[in-house]
Amino acid sequence: MEKTALVLVAFSLAVAMAMPLVHSTIGDPKEVDEWLHKIQHAKQKMTRFHFYLHDRVAGPNVTAMRVAQASITDKSPTLFGLAVMMDDPLTEGPELTSKQVGRAQGLYGLSGLNEMSVLIIMNLAFTSGEYNRSTLTILGRYGPSQTIQETPIVGGSGVFRLAHGIATSRIYSTNATNANVVIEFNVVAIHY
Ligand SMILES: *[C@@H]1O[C@H](CO)[C@@H](O)[C@H](O)[C@H]1NC(C)=O
Ligand SMILES: *[C@@H]1O[C@H](CO)[C@@H](O)[C@H](O)[C@H]1NC(C)=O
Ligand SMILES: *[C@@H]1O[C@H](CO)[C@@H](O)[C@H](O)[C@H]1NC(C)=O
């Protein structure tokens, strides 16, 4: 077996053993089938969220780190090819100390050769209340110099199975010293 495959197997085992029994039905294929059957005649509902994302690229407690770049990235005025992996806290209010409701885990990559644009792939992994352990997945583009960015929600898990929706976001504040940003999100998710 390849070394990477071994690592994956070890990881899956560790996760399986760490999982409490209470949640053993989550992701069980039989339970998924039953759920799919049950929702055939169910009405969709709409859930709205409002939260703040803290992307900390420098200073103490960094949450977003460069993982790769292209040979031209350093010379590119649009930073083309830069890839950043993040695990950013999501909070109820704009302060980092306000209640944490989840994490935004994923990747963003600088994807514009001639103008600044960002490919964003991230899972909103909720950790509070009824949404604990449920996720929403965003796959979209941050365009150049738009005040409000719109990205699609392409799926979800847990409470948000088969979700789709729209996330709009805007920069709430930027720290001029270290370039850390706080981004305000409004999310509408349609799900069962
Ligand atoms: C901005 O970052 C600097 C350096 O990390 C820090 O000292 C300062 O408190 C930050 N400002 C705000 C408003 O968070
Ligand atoms: C960094 O994290 C530590 C441990 O969680 C915390 O005590 C400290 O206040 C954090 N610092 C900042 C600037 O957020
Ligand atoms: C969320 O789920 C985790 C894992 O099951 C659990 O440890 C944690 O206490 C839960 N948090 C809340 C706020 O319910």
mmCIF file of all heavy atoms in Angstrom, residues 5 23 28 33 48 55 76 85 91 107 123 125 129 139 145 167 186:
data_model
loop_
_atom_site.group_PDB
_atom_site.id
_atom_site.type_symbol
_atom_site.label_atom_id
_atom_site.label_comp_id
_atom_site.label_asym_id
_atom_site.label_seq_id
_atom_site.Cartn_x
_atom_site.Cartn_y
_atom_site.Cartn_z
ATOM 1 N N ALA A 5 -1.860 6.210 1.409
ATOM 2 C CA ALA A 5 -3.050 5.400 1.657
ATOM 3 C C ALA A 5 -3.052 4.900 3.094
ATOM 4 O O ALA A 5 -4.082 4.894 3.760
ATOM 5 C CB ALA A 5 -3.101 4.236 0.680
ATOM 6 N N HIS A 23 -23.717 9.123 17.580
ATOM 7 C CA HIS A 23 -23.782 9.636 16.218
ATOM 8 C C HIS A 23 -23.531 8.555 15.172
ATOM 9 O O HIS A 23 -23.292 8.840 14.035
ATOM 10 C CB HIS A 23 -22.756 10.756 16.050
ATOM 11 C CG HIS A 23 -23.022 11.906 16.965
ATOM 12 N ND1 HIS A 23 -24.130 12.689 16.829
ATOM 13 C CD2 HIS A 23 -22.350 12.371 18.030
ATOM 14 C CE1 HIS A 23 -24.126 13.608 17.798
ATOM 15 N NE2 HIS A 23 -23.066 13.425 18.534
ATOM 16 N N ASP A 28 -24.659 6.665 7.902
ATOM 17 C CA ASP A 28 -24.972 5.260 7.691
ATOM 18 C C ASP A 28 -25.782 5.166 6.387
ATOM 19 O O ASP A 28 -26.807 5.816 6.253
ATOM 20 C CB ASP A 28 -25.793 4.793 8.910
ATOM 21 C CG ASP A 28 -26.248 3.356 8.783
ATOM 22 O OD1 ASP A 28 -26.336 2.847 7.653
ATOM 23 O OD2 ASP A 28 -26.540 2.750 9.829
ATOM 24 N N ASP A 33 -30.619 6.351 2.981
ATOM 25 C CA ASP A 33 -31.704 5.878 2.100
ATOM 26 C C ASP A 33 -33.065 6.223 2.690
ATOM 27 O O ASP A 33 -33.951 6.715 1.996
ATOM 28 C CB ASP A 33 -31.616 4.360 1.920
ATOM 29 C CG ASP A 33 -30.602 3.990 0.846
ATOM 30 O OD1 ASP A 33 -30.147 4.915 0.129
ATOM 31 O OD2 ASP A 33 -30.277 2.803 0.730
ATOM 32 N N ARG A 48 -31.601 31.272 7.497
ATOM 33 C CA ARG A 48 -30.715 32.428 7.324
ATOM 34 C C ARG A 48 -29.696 32.482 8.440
ATOM 35 O O ARG A 48 -30.041 32.219 9.598
ATOM 36 C CB ARG A 48 -31.522 33.731 7.346
ATOM 37 C CG ARG A 48 -32.349 33.929 6.116
ATOM 38 C CD ARG A 48 -33.228 35.170 6.233
ATOM 39 N NE ARG A 48 -34.119 35.224 5.097
ATOM 40 C CZ ARG A 48 -33.778 35.742 3.915
ATOM 41 N NH1 ARG A 48 -32.578 36.286 3.755
ATOM 42 N NH2 ARG A 48 -34.627 35.739 2.913
ATOM 43 N N ASP A 55 -10.125 36.011 9.290
ATOM 44 C CA ASP A 55 -9.022 35.438 8.515
ATOM 45 C C ASP A 55 -7.737 36.082 9.007
ATOM 46 O O ASP A 55 -7.465 37.249 8.733
ATOM 47 C CB ASP A 55 -9.242 35.704 7.021
ATOM 48 C CG ASP A 55 -8.338 34.852 6.139
ATOM 49 O OD1 ASP A 55 -8.351 33.613 6.308
ATOM 50 O OD2 ASP A 55 -7.625 35.410 5.287
ATOM 51 N N SER A 76 3.772 38.462 -9.872
ATOM 52 C CA SER A 76 2.446 38.738 -10.419
ATOM 53 C C SER A 76 1.741 39.852 -9.635
ATOM 54 O O SER A 76 1.625 39.757 -8.412
ATOM 55 C CB SER A 76 1.609 37.462 -10.366
ATOM 56 O OG SER A 76 0.243 37.766 -10.507
ATOM 57 N N MET A 85 -4.458 27.787 2.785
ATOM 58 C CA MET A 85 -5.367 26.890 3.513
ATOM 59 C C MET A 85 -5.772 27.570 4.802
ATOM 60 O O MET A 85 -4.921 28.136 5.500
ATOM 61 C CB MET A 85 -4.643 25.578 3.809
ATOM 62 C CG MET A 85 -5.449 24.557 4.552
ATOM 63 S SD MET A 85 -6.598 23.690 3.487
ATOM 64 C CE MET A 85 -5.555 22.390 2.859
ATOM 65 N N THR A 91 -17.768 33.814 14.138
ATOM 66 C CA THR A 91 -18.332 34.294 15.404
ATOM 67 C C THR A 91 -19.639 35.034 15.167
ATOM 68 O O THR A 91 -19.899 35.542 14.078
ATOM 69 C CB THR A 91 -17.350 35.247 16.118
ATOM 70 O OG1 THR A 91 -17.040 36.316 15.229
ATOM 71 C CG2 THR A 91 -16.072 34.539 16.539
ATOM 72 N N LEU A 107 -9.801 26.216 1.292
ATOM 73 C CA LEU A 107 -8.688 26.752 0.509
ATOM 74 C C LEU A 107 -9.155 27.967 -0.264
ATOM 75 O O LEU A 107 -10.288 27.992 -0.751
ATOM 76 C CB LEU A 107 -8.278 25.734 -0.549
ATOM 77 C CG LEU A 107 -7.303 24.637 -0.200
ATOM 78 C CD1 LEU A 107 -7.329 23.594 -1.321
ATOM 79 C CD2 LEU A 107 -5.901 25.210 -0.090
ATOM 80 N N ASN A 123 -15.666 24.727 3.625
ATOM 81 C CA ASN A 123 -16.750 24.135 4.389
ATOM 82 C C ASN A 123 -17.007 24.985 5.608
ATOM 83 O O ASN A 123 -16.077 25.280 6.361
ATOM 84 C CB ASN A 123 -16.371 22.723 4.828
ATOM 85 C CG ASN A 123 -16.211 21.798 3.640
ATOM 86 O OD1 ASN A 123 -17.061 21.786 2.756
ATOM 87 N ND2 ASN A 123 -15.134 21.051 3.614
ATOM 88 N N ALA A 125 -18.194 24.677 8.960
ATOM 89 C CA ALA A 125 -18.431 23.575 9.894
ATOM 90 C C ALA A 125 -18.989 24.170 11.183
ATOM 91 O O ALA A 125 -18.250 24.773 11.961
ATOM 92 C CB ALA A 125 -17.131 22.827 10.146
ATOM 93 N N GLY A 129 -25.335 24.803 18.853
ATOM 94 C CA GLY A 129 -26.775 24.537 18.866
ATOM 95 C C GLY A 129 -27.209 23.421 17.934
ATOM 96 O O GLY A 129 -26.514 22.417 17.780
ATOM 97 N N LEU A 139 -18.515 27.081 -2.861
ATOM 98 C CA LEU A 139 -17.546 27.000 -3.964
ATOM 99 C C LEU A 139 -17.842 28.185 -4.868
ATOM 100 O O LEU A 139 -18.922 28.252 -5.465
ATOM 101 C CB LEU A 139 -17.734 25.678 -4.717
ATOM 102 C CG LEU A 139 -16.945 25.490 -6.008
ATOM 103 C CD1 LEU A 139 -15.458 25.619 -5.784
ATOM 104 C CD2 LEU A 139 -17.255 24.122 -6.611
ATOM 105 N N SER A 145 -12.582 44.029 -7.001
ATOM 106 C CA SER A 145 -13.161 45.272 -6.491
ATOM 107 C C SER A 145 -14.678 45.310 -6.410
ATOM 108 O O SER A 145 -15.316 46.246 -6.814
ATOM 109 C CB SER A 145 -12.642 46.469 -7.299
ATOM 110 O OG SER A 145 -12.850 46.249 -8.668
ATOM 111 N N ALA A 167 -24.425 32.820 -0.426
ATOM 112 C CA ALA A 167 -23.718 33.519 0.640
ATOM 113 C C ALA A 167 -23.269 34.869 0.092
ATOM 114 O O ALA A 167 -22.635 34.929 -0.957
ATOM 115 C CB ALA A 167 -22.508 32.710 1.094
ATOM 116 N N ASN A 186 -23.761 36.971 5.211
ATOM 117 C CA ASN A 186 -25.186 36.680 5.255
ATOM 118 C C ASN A 186 -25.402 35.464 4.379
ATOM 119 O O ASN A 186 -25.043 35.473 3.197
ATOM 120 C CB ASN A 186 -26.005 37.858 4.716
ATOM 121 C CG ASN A 186 -26.201 38.921 5.773
ATOM 122 O OD1 ASN A 186 -26.914 38.712 6.759
ATOM 123 N ND2 ASN A 186 -25.545 40.052 5.597
#
